[in-house]
Amino acid sequence: MKIRRVLATAVALAVTTPAALLSVSPAYADAKPTAQTQEKQSKPTIEELEEAAAEAQKAYDKAAQAKADGYAELEKTLGDLTEAGGTHPLAVASAAAKQAAKDAAAAKTAADQAVTDAKAALDALPEDATEEEKAAAATALSEAQATAATATTAKTAADTAAAEAGEKLTDARIAAARAYGVLVKAAEDALAVKTAADAALAKAIKEAEEGEEGGEGEDCEPELDLTSKVTGLPDKLVAGTSTDFSLRVTNGSDRHMDKVLTFVSVHATDTSGLKDTEKFFRLQWSTKSAPKWQNADADDYIEGVGALKPGAHADVKLRLTLDKATPAGNGVAFFAADFFNEDGSCGGAPDLDMYEFDVKAAGSKPGKTEDVKPSTTPRPGNTGTTPQGSASGTPAATGSLAATGSSSATTSIALAGGAAVLLGAAAVFVVRRRKTGADA
């Protein structure tokens, strides 16, 4: 019953993981989890998610170590800004240059004082001083002046050397601080990936255990005549607004469906594709049998449809509200339907409709409304035309739906070739979600 939700978690991880890992650093960018880098991906197994979690742990360990090394390098360049003093060669050179400048200044002060004293001695000679005494005093003054001139030149050179050494140290400090900032961000990103991978693994294990305990899904099979059609969802959503649209679920088959569930899952990021913004979204629903607006649950399933007779349909009203603080970015919404009968049989639409939209900042103009058209592939044995995309098990590409290839929204969400990952993960929904309870 929750197979779709397990794979939805994998989709969210597949969308965010590659971009985050690639943003860490070249030193460990190649350590991204294997399960998230395949263009075409089958339903992830527990073992695959365990491997992904292990790789994410390795990437985080490397990022944490790089952060520690970066901080150590930063400390070395701090020089006299720390009590222990800097050990970086530039910090040592700067300290030595400063001391040399101080020594040169002291030498110039002493030389200047010697000139003053020599002048005073010459001026203090008595009128009856001998020529030898006058010559000696004049020589002493001349020598003191020469020494003072040399000291002045030495001080100027020392001051220049100290300034240059200080500038080099300052540049090194700035570079080390920037590098450390990058490593801090990289460690944060790696931790986010690790957390997501751990969460996906824990979720898959929980869902597998629930599937084993409940025994559901043993007779599940694709039902091509169970369709879900979205109307009224615009191609642009504006922060601070609510958008009402609808989902019509139709039982076009010849079987009675005791309990029909709709699946609606919304994923979004900011324009960089790195920051998950789903927390700013709130999805609500209402049906004829449950007219009061209700918040969608954590599993993305809506249970207000009830039973559907052959040829019958039910409408689900949906309301997607974006917080005013929602960052501009891109999003994608998935739609599908499942059914479960009292005799244990179950199934669902084999196609997962995927609709892309832009997220605009508060105050922007809303987008135009385009209807999302679900796949109408006939079930095996029936006659009819197979629409583009359904033959391979991917979502049909009608209206504004994205099936194969890339678009601006998908590319922005996934970054760095992640669009293929997203579409491959979407194919997982379509092709593999109807596995038995043992596979769930």
Side-chain angles (χ1 to χ4, degrees):
M1 186 171 179
K2 297 180 179 179
I3 296 175
R4 288 190 196 264
R5 182 59 188 173
V6 175
L7 296 175
T9 302
V11 165
L13 182 61
V15 170
T16 57
T17 295
L21 279 177
L22 288 174
S23 71
V24 173
S25 83
Y28 40 85
D30 59 349
K32 50 186 176 296
T34 303
Q36 273 77 45
T37 61
Q38 301 172 353
E39 291 189 0
K40 287 294 184 179
Q41 193 176 34
S42 61
K43 176 181 178 294
T45 64
I46 298 296
E47 290 75 15
E48 289 172 335
L49 290 175
E50 287 176 340
E51 181 181 355
E55 292 296 334
Q57 179 68 56
K58 291 179 182 177
Y60 172 67
D61 290 342
K62 290 181 180 180
Q65 184 60 53
K67 174 185 173 183
D69 293 343
Y71 185 73
E73 184 69 15
L74 179 61
E75 279 192 319
K76 291 179 181 178
T77 67
L78 293 180
D80 55 359
L81 297 182
T82 62
E83 294 181 0
T87 59
H88 191 279
L90 291 178
V92 174
S94 178
K98 287 182 179 179
Q99 185 59 51
K102 290 181 180 179
D103 293 342
K108 181 180 180 302
T109 299
D112 290 341
Q113 184 60 50
V115 171
T116 300
D117 294 342
K119 286 182 178 180
L122 181 61
D123 292 339
L125 286 176
E127 293 181 1
D128 58 350
T130 65
E131 291 301 323
E132 288 79 5
E133 290 174 336
K134 291 179 180 180
T139 298
L141 175 59
S142 179
E143 290 175 350
Q145 289 173 334
T147 300
T150 300
T152 298
T153 301
K155 181 180 181 303
T156 300
D159 288 343
T160 300
E164 291 176 351
E167 289 177 0
K168 290 180 180 180
L169 178 58
T170 298
D171 291 343
R173 287 171 176 167
I174 293 174
R178 288 176 176 171
Y180 180 65
V182 172
L183 294 174
V184 169
K185 180 62 169 60
E188 292 174 353
D189 289 342
L191 179 59
V193 172
K194 175 185 175 299
T195 301
D198 291 343
L201 174 60
K203 185 68 175 179
I205 293 174
K206 180 180 179 181
E207 295 291 354
E209 292 174 349
E210 290 179 351
E212 292 174 357
E213 293 174 0
E216 294 179 342
E218 293 182 359
D219 299 320
C220 287
E221 60 185 38
E223 178 50 74
L224 293 97
D225 291 330
L226 177 61
T227 60
S228 54
K229 179 181 179 180
V230 174
T231 57
L233 182 61
D235 59 357
K236 294 182 179 64
L237 302 181
V238 179
T241 66
S242 294
T243 299
D244 290 348
F245 57 105
S246 63
L247 177 68
R248 170 164 290 190
V249 182
T250 302
N251 178 8
S253 72
D254 56 3
R255 72 171 78 182
H256 185 277
M257 299 178 181
D258 297 330
K259 183 177 182 180
V260 176
L261 304 180
T262 57
F263 178 84
V264 182
S265 183
V266 179
H267 303 282
T269 70
D270 63 359
T271 53
S272 72
L274 298 175
K275 183 178 181 181
D276 184 344
T277 59
E278 294 170 29
K279 67 179 181 180
F280 297 101
F281 289 68
R282 183 176 64 153
L283 180 67
Q284 297 175 292
W285 63 272
S286 70
T287 61
K288 184 177 180 180
S289 61
K292 186 177 179 180
W293 286 107
Q294 301 183 49
N295 293 328
D297 62 25
D299 290 323
D300 294 335
Y301 277 99
I302 296 174
E303 301 188 16
V305 174
L308 279 181
K309 298 179 180 179
H313 68 263
D315 293 323
V316 179
K317 295 181 180 179
L318 297 168
R319 174 173 292 171
L320 189 57
T321 302
L322 278 65
D323 189 274
K324 191 174 182 181
T326 307
N330 303 281
V332 61
F334 298 105
F335 303 95
D338 295 328
F339 75 89
F340 300 89
N341 291 331
E342 294 180 359
D343 62 5
S345 62
C346 57
D351 289 332
L352 184 84
D353 295 333
M354 184 170 70
Y355 179 78
E356 301 174 41
F357 55 85
D358 294 331
V359 179
K360 300 297 182 181
S364 302
K365 292 183 179 180
K368 59 183 179 179
T369 299
E370 297 183 1
D371 293 344
V372 177
K373 298 180 181 180
S375 171
T376 55
T377 308
R379 69 170 182 259
N382 283 7
T383 60
T385 303
T386 302
Q388 181 181 2
S390 62
S392 63
T394 56
T398 53
S400 299
L401 290 179
T404 58
S406 63
S407 71
S408 59
T410 306
T411 302
S412 182
I413 290 175
L415 293 179
V421 179
L422 174 59
L423 295 178
V428 173
F429 276 102
V430 177
V431 180
R432 299 296 300 277
R433 81 185 199 292
R434 288 297 165 201
K435 298 294 289 181
T436 63
D439 290 336

